[in-house]
Amino acid sequence: MPNDIEITPSVMPEDGPGWIIDAERPVTVRAQRWRAGEVGRAAHAHPRGQLVWAEEGILRVHSCGAHWLAPTSHAVWIPGEVVHAVVMETDVSTCFIYIDPSVTDLRGRHCEVLYMTPLMRQLLLRFRALGLSGNRDRLSRLSGVIIDELAVLPTAPLSLPAGSDPRLVRVTNRLLEQPDDRAKLEELARFAGSGARTLERLFKRETGLSFSEWRNRLRLMEAVNHLSHGKSSVEIASLLGYRSASAFVAAFRRNFGVPPQSYLKAGSADGD
Protein backbone atom coordinates (compact mmCIF):
# COMPACT_ATOMS: atom_id res chain seq x y z
CA MET A 1 0.00 0.00 0.00
CA PRO A 2 1.27 3.50 -0.75
CA ASN A 3 2.23 5.95 1.93
CA ASP A 4 0.15 9.06 2.41
CA ILE A 5 0.63 11.50 -0.44
CA GLU A 6 1.09 15.17 0.19
CA ILE A 7 -2.02 17.14 -0.67
CA THR A 8 -0.67 20.18 -2.44
CA PRO A 9 -1.90 21.49 -5.79
CA SER A 10 0.05 20.10 -8.70
CA VAL A 11 0.20 21.17 -12.32
CA MET A 12 -2.24 18.92 -14.11
CA PRO A 13 -3.34 18.90 -17.73
CA GLU A 14 -6.84 20.30 -18.04
CA ASP A 15 -8.44 17.20 -19.51
CA GLY A 16 -11.00 14.64 -18.48
CA PRO A 17 -14.60 15.02 -17.33
CA GLY A 18 -13.73 17.20 -14.34
CA TRP A 19 -12.57 20.03 -16.60
CA ILE A 20 -15.52 20.06 -19.01
CA ILE A 21 -17.46 23.32 -18.66
CA ASP A 22 -20.81 22.80 -20.35
CA ALA A 23 -24.13 23.72 -18.74
CA GLU A 24 -25.92 21.56 -21.33
CA ARG A 25 -24.00 18.56 -19.94
CA PRO A 26 -24.40 19.16 -16.20
CA VAL A 27 -23.38 15.59 -15.33
CA THR A 28 -20.38 13.73 -16.74
CA VAL A 29 -19.06 10.35 -15.67
CA ARG A 30 -15.77 8.49 -15.48
CA ALA A 31 -15.80 4.74 -14.93
CA GLN A 32 -12.62 2.69 -14.63
CA ARG A 33 -11.12 -0.37 -12.99
CA TRP A 34 -7.99 0.08 -10.87
CA ARG A 35 -5.53 -2.21 -9.12
CA ALA A 36 -4.83 -1.99 -5.39
CA GLY A 37 -2.32 0.75 -4.60
CA GLU A 38 -2.90 2.81 -7.73
CA VAL A 39 -3.48 6.57 -7.44
CA GLY A 40 -6.34 7.95 -9.53
CA ARG A 41 -4.46 11.18 -10.21
CA ALA A 42 -1.89 13.18 -8.27
CA ALA A 43 -3.30 15.86 -5.98
CA HIS A 44 -5.35 18.22 -8.15
CA ALA A 45 -8.50 20.32 -8.40
CA HIS A 46 -10.96 20.91 -11.25
CA PRO A 47 -13.98 23.15 -11.85
CA ARG A 48 -16.59 20.43 -11.53
CA GLY A 49 -17.67 19.00 -8.22
CA GLN A 50 -17.06 15.27 -7.92
CA LEU A 51 -18.83 12.37 -6.23
CA VAL A 52 -16.20 9.69 -5.54
CA TRP A 53 -17.81 6.24 -5.37
CA ALA A 54 -16.56 2.68 -5.78
CA GLU A 55 -19.07 0.24 -7.21
CA GLU A 56 -16.71 -2.49 -6.01
CA GLY A 57 -13.74 -2.25 -3.65
CA ILE A 58 -12.49 0.39 -1.23
CA LEU A 59 -11.13 3.88 -1.89
CA ARG A 60 -9.00 6.20 0.22
CA VAL A 61 -9.79 9.88 -0.38
CA HIS A 62 -7.47 12.72 0.62
CA SER A 63 -9.13 16.12 0.69
CA CYS A 64 -10.26 19.03 2.82
CA GLY A 65 -7.52 18.33 5.35
CA ALA A 66 -8.77 14.81 6.04
CA HIS A 67 -8.26 11.24 4.85
CA TRP A 68 -11.26 8.91 4.53
CA LEU A 69 -11.84 5.29 3.66
CA ALA A 70 -14.92 4.85 1.51
CA PRO A 71 -16.47 1.38 1.15
CA THR A 72 -19.14 0.79 -1.50
CA SER A 73 -21.92 1.83 0.88
CA HIS A 74 -20.58 5.40 1.03
CA ALA A 75 -19.16 8.09 -1.23
CA VAL A 76 -17.27 11.35 -0.79
CA TRP A 77 -18.54 14.62 -2.24
CA ILE A 78 -15.76 17.04 -3.24
CA PRO A 79 -16.84 20.54 -4.34
CA GLY A 80 -15.30 22.08 -7.43
CA GLU A 81 -11.82 23.64 -7.15
CA VAL A 82 -11.02 21.67 -3.99
CA VAL A 83 -7.66 19.87 -4.03
CA HIS A 84 -7.96 16.12 -3.64
CA ALA A 85 -6.47 12.73 -4.53
CA VAL A 86 -7.86 9.20 -4.56
CA VAL A 87 -5.90 6.04 -3.72
CA MET A 88 -7.17 2.51 -4.36
CA GLU A 89 -6.98 0.44 -1.18
CA THR A 90 -8.10 -2.74 -2.99
CA ASP A 91 -8.87 -3.62 -6.58
CA VAL A 92 -11.62 -1.14 -7.38
CA SER A 93 -14.32 -0.53 -9.97
CA THR A 94 -15.04 3.21 -9.84
CA CYS A 95 -17.97 5.28 -11.00
CA PHE A 96 -17.15 8.97 -10.46
CA ILE A 97 -19.62 11.67 -11.44
CA TYR A 98 -18.80 15.32 -12.05
CA ILE A 99 -21.23 18.23 -11.71
CA ASP A 100 -20.89 21.36 -13.85
CA PRO A 101 -20.31 24.69 -12.02
CA SER A 102 -23.61 25.95 -13.48
CA VAL A 103 -25.35 23.72 -10.90
CA THR A 104 -25.02 26.01 -7.89
CA ASP A 105 -25.80 25.50 -4.19
CA LEU A 106 -25.85 21.75 -4.60
CA ARG A 107 -24.30 20.75 -1.28
CA GLY A 108 -22.32 23.74 -0.09
CA ARG A 109 -18.56 24.25 -0.20
CA HIS A 110 -17.37 21.53 2.16
CA CYS A 111 -16.38 17.91 1.56
CA GLU A 112 -18.85 15.37 2.91
CA VAL A 113 -19.02 11.62 3.39
CA LEU A 114 -22.43 10.55 2.07
CA TYR A 115 -24.51 7.40 2.31
CA MET A 116 -25.14 5.96 -1.15
CA THR A 117 -28.83 5.13 -1.35
CA PRO A 118 -29.86 2.17 -3.52
CA LEU A 119 -31.60 4.65 -5.84
CA MET A 120 -28.43 6.70 -6.34
CA ARG A 121 -26.39 3.60 -7.07
CA GLN A 122 -28.81 2.51 -9.78
CA LEU A 123 -28.98 6.03 -11.24
CA LEU A 124 -25.20 6.19 -11.63
CA LEU A 125 -24.95 2.73 -13.14
CA ARG A 126 -27.76 3.55 -15.58
CA PHE A 127 -26.13 6.87 -16.53
CA ARG A 128 -22.83 5.08 -17.16
CA ALA A 129 -24.54 2.52 -19.38
CA LEU A 130 -26.44 5.17 -21.34
CA GLY A 131 -23.24 7.13 -21.87
CA LEU A 132 -22.05 4.36 -24.15
CA SER A 133 -25.09 4.82 -26.41
CA GLY A 134 -24.66 8.59 -26.71
CA ASN A 135 -28.41 9.26 -26.40
CA ARG A 136 -28.17 12.92 -25.33
CA ASP A 137 -31.89 13.41 -24.64
CA ARG A 138 -32.09 10.49 -22.24
CA LEU A 139 -28.81 11.47 -20.60
CA SER A 140 -30.11 15.00 -20.10
CA ARG A 141 -33.26 13.79 -18.37
CA LEU A 142 -31.36 11.37 -16.19
CA SER A 143 -28.84 14.10 -15.29
CA GLY A 144 -31.63 16.10 -13.67
CA VAL A 145 -32.68 13.12 -11.54
CA ILE A 146 -29.08 12.47 -10.47
CA ILE A 147 -28.62 16.10 -9.44
CA ASP A 148 -31.87 16.00 -7.45
CA GLU A 149 -30.87 12.80 -5.66
CA LEU A 150 -27.32 14.00 -4.99
CA ALA A 151 -28.70 17.12 -3.31
CA VAL A 152 -30.57 15.00 -0.73
CA LEU A 153 -28.17 12.09 -0.12
CA PRO A 154 -27.88 11.64 3.64
CA THR A 155 -24.66 12.85 5.21
CA ALA A 156 -22.94 9.98 7.00
CA PRO A 157 -22.80 10.76 10.75
CA LEU A 158 -19.74 8.52 10.87
CA SER A 159 -16.73 8.34 8.58
CA LEU A 160 -13.67 6.10 8.58
CA PRO A 161 -10.42 8.06 8.93
CA ALA A 162 -7.44 6.44 7.21
CA GLY A 163 -3.78 6.01 8.13
CA SER A 164 -0.56 5.31 6.24
CA ASP A 165 1.65 3.12 8.45
CA PRO A 166 1.91 -0.27 6.65
CA ARG A 167 1.07 -2.18 9.84
CA LEU A 168 -2.08 -0.13 10.37
CA VAL A 169 -3.07 -0.42 6.71
CA ARG A 170 -2.80 -4.22 6.85
CA VAL A 171 -5.24 -4.32 9.75
CA THR A 172 -7.73 -1.77 8.42
CA ASN A 173 -7.82 -3.45 5.01
CA ARG A 174 -8.43 -6.84 6.62
CA LEU A 175 -11.33 -5.45 8.64
CA LEU A 176 -12.76 -3.56 5.66
CA GLU A 177 -12.80 -6.76 3.65
CA GLN A 178 -14.25 -8.75 6.57
CA PRO A 179 -16.33 -6.46 8.80
CA ASP A 180 -17.52 -9.49 10.76
CA ASP A 181 -13.93 -10.36 11.76
CA ARG A 182 -13.98 -10.91 15.54
CA ALA A 183 -10.22 -11.04 16.01
CA LYS A 184 -8.98 -9.25 19.12
CA LEU A 185 -6.37 -6.52 19.08
CA GLU A 186 -3.59 -8.95 20.04
CA GLU A 187 -4.34 -11.29 17.13
CA LEU A 188 -4.53 -8.41 14.66
CA ALA A 189 -1.25 -7.03 15.98
CA ARG A 190 0.46 -10.37 15.28
CA PHE A 191 -1.08 -10.33 11.80
CA ALA A 192 0.36 -6.83 11.25
CA GLY A 193 3.78 -7.71 12.65
CA SER A 194 3.59 -5.39 15.64
CA GLY A 195 2.80 -5.42 19.34
CA ALA A 196 -0.72 -4.76 20.59
CA ARG A 197 0.29 -1.52 22.31
CA THR A 198 2.05 -0.32 19.19
CA LEU A 199 -1.01 -1.04 17.04
CA GLU A 200 -3.29 0.77 19.50
CA ARG A 201 -0.96 3.78 19.40
CA LEU A 202 -1.00 3.73 15.60
CA PHE A 203 -4.79 3.80 15.53
CA LYS A 204 -4.91 6.73 17.93
CA ARG A 205 -2.12 8.70 16.26
CA GLU A 206 -3.14 8.20 12.63
CA THR A 207 -6.95 8.03 12.81
CA GLY A 208 -7.71 9.89 16.03
CA LEU A 209 -9.70 6.86 17.21
CA SER A 210 -8.87 3.90 19.41
CA PHE A 211 -8.92 0.46 17.79
CA SER A 212 -12.31 -0.36 19.30
CA GLU A 213 -13.79 2.99 18.24
CA TRP A 214 -12.55 2.53 14.67
CA ARG A 215 -13.90 -1.01 14.39
CA ASN A 216 -17.22 0.09 15.86
CA ARG A 217 -17.52 2.81 13.20
CA LEU A 218 -16.82 0.30 10.45
CA ARG A 219 -19.47 -2.07 11.77
CA LEU A 220 -22.06 0.70 12.01
CA MET A 221 -21.36 1.90 8.47
CA GLU A 222 -21.76 -1.67 7.25
CA ALA A 223 -24.97 -1.92 9.27
CA VAL A 224 -26.43 1.00 7.29
CA ASN A 225 -25.61 -0.86 4.09
CA HIS A 226 -27.35 -4.02 5.36
CA LEU A 227 -30.37 -1.98 6.44
CA SER A 228 -30.71 -0.62 2.92
CA HIS A 229 -31.03 -4.20 1.71
CA GLY A 230 -33.86 -4.96 4.13
CA LYS A 231 -31.99 -6.99 6.72
CA SER A 232 -33.31 -7.13 10.28
CA SER A 233 -31.43 -6.13 13.42
CA VAL A 234 -31.08 -9.81 14.34
CA GLU A 235 -29.51 -10.61 10.97
CA ILE A 236 -27.17 -7.61 11.09
CA ALA A 237 -26.04 -8.35 14.64
CA SER A 238 -25.09 -11.86 13.56
CA LEU A 239 -23.38 -10.70 10.34
CA LEU A 240 -21.25 -8.06 12.07
CA GLY A 241 -20.23 -9.94 15.19
CA TYR A 242 -22.34 -8.24 17.88
CA ARG A 243 -23.11 -10.24 21.01
CA SER A 244 -26.85 -9.89 20.47
CA ALA A 245 -29.44 -7.92 18.52
CA SER A 246 -30.05 -5.72 21.57
CA ALA A 247 -26.33 -4.89 21.79
CA PHE A 248 -26.36 -3.88 18.13
CA VAL A 249 -29.50 -1.75 18.52
CA ALA A 250 -28.03 0.02 21.57
CA ALA A 251 -24.76 0.78 19.75
CA PHE A 252 -26.63 2.02 16.70
CA ARG A 253 -28.90 4.29 18.73
CA ARG A 254 -25.93 5.71 20.65
CA ASN A 255 -24.19 6.76 17.46
CA PHE A 256 -27.07 7.67 15.13
CA GLY A 257 -29.69 8.87 17.60
CA VAL A 258 -32.42 6.57 16.25
CA PRO A 259 -32.98 2.80 16.21
CA PRO A 260 -31.72 0.92 13.13
CA GLN A 261 -35.04 0.43 11.39
CA SER A 262 -35.78 4.17 11.61
CA TYR A 263 -32.43 5.42 10.28
CA LEU A 264 -33.05 5.38 6.53
CA LYS A 265 -36.54 6.84 6.98
CA ALA A 266 -35.09 9.66 9.12
CA GLY A 267 -32.41 10.38 6.54
CA SER A 268 -34.98 10.56 3.76
CA ALA A 269 -37.18 12.91 5.77
CA ASP A 270 -34.25 15.20 6.50
CA GLY A 271 -33.40 15.34 2.80
CA ASP A 272 -36.99 16.25 1.88
Side-chain angles (χ1 to χ4, degrees):
M1 289 298 137
N3 291 329
D4 276 356
I5 53 182
E6 185 178 358
I7 300 301
T8 55
S10 57
V11 178
M12 301 300 299
E14 295 186 357
D15 59 2
W19 280 269
I20 296 172
I21 305 297
D22 185 352
E24 294 186 1
R25 296 176 61 194
V27 177
T28 53
V29 64
R30 179 188 182 193
Q32 187 172 339
R33 296 195 68 88
W34 307 82
R35 299 300 299 272
E38 289 187 309
V39 179
R41 190 188 282 262
H44 66 288
H46 40 64
R48 285 189 174 234
Q50 179 179 2
L51 186 71
V52 177
W53 175 57
E55 178 190 358
E56 299 174 0
I58 300 159
L59 300 171
R60 180 152 50 108
V61 180
H62 303 244
S63 191
C64 305
H67 301 175
W68 298 289
L69 293 166
T72 58
S73 57
H74 290 71
V76 179
W77 168 248
I78 304 169
E81 305 295 358
V82 171
V83 178
H84 61 281
V86 181
V87 179
M88 313 306 157
E89 288 293 303
T90 65
D91 290 353
V92 173
S93 177
T94 61
C95 188
F96 299 158
I97 68 165
Y98 303 83
I99 306 298
D100 191 76
S102 61
V103 181
T104 59
D105 302 322
L106 183 62
R107 295 205 65 103
R109 300 302 306 165
H110 300 286
C111 299
E112 297 178 280
V113 179
L114 306 176
Y115 168 65
M116 284 291 288
T117 62
L119 173 59
M120 189 60 165
R121 298 182 205 187
Q122 293 306 312
L123 287 172
L124 298 192
L125 296 177
R126 185 60 174 162
F127 188 87
R128 182 182 69 185
L130 283 175
L132 298 175
S133 71
N135 188 320
R136 294 290 292 272
D137 289 339
R138 294 185 68 189
L139 285 171
S140 177
R141 292 193 294 271
L142 189 54
S143 291
V145 181
I146 287 173
I147 291 168
D148 285 347
E149 182 67 8
L150 176 55
V152 298
L153 282 183
T155 302
L158 301 179
S159 59
L160 279 176
S164 62
D165 185 283
R167 295 164 294 182
L168 179 64
V169 170
R170 285 196 73 194
V171 171
T172 55
N173 282 352
R174 170 175 163 171
L175 295 176
L176 281 159
E177 292 172 2
Q178 305 174 59
D180 60 340
D181 191 332
R182 303 190 188 196
K184 295 186 180 299
L185 179 64
E186 292 75 15
E187 179 183 339
L188 292 170
R190 289 193 296 272
F191 170 76
S194 74
R197 290 183 180 179
T198 297
L199 183 59
E200 182 67 75
R201 283 196 298 269
L202 287 172
F203 266 99
K204 198 67 178 178
R205 185 180 73 211
E206 298 207 9
T207 73
L209 302 172
S210 69
F211 163 70
S212 61
E213 290 170 335
W214 194 95
R215 178 150 69 176
N216 188 50
R217 283 199 182 190
L218 170 62
R219 286 176 171 174
L220 291 171
M221 290 176 74
E222 281 297 304
V224 172
N225 193 36
H226 287 309
L227 286 169
S228 73
H229 289 87
K231 289 188 169 54
S232 69
S233 293
V234 172
E235 291 174 304
I236 296 171
S238 175
L239 284 168
L240 297 182
Y242 285 90
R243 295 189 308 276
S244 64
S246 59
F248 162 63
V249 171
F252 196 97
R253 187 189 286 271
R254 261 195 321 273
N255 285 274
F256 292 100
V258 293
Q261 304 305 324
S262 301
Y263 175 73
L264 296 182
K265 295 177 184 178
S268 175
D270 291 342
D272 296 339

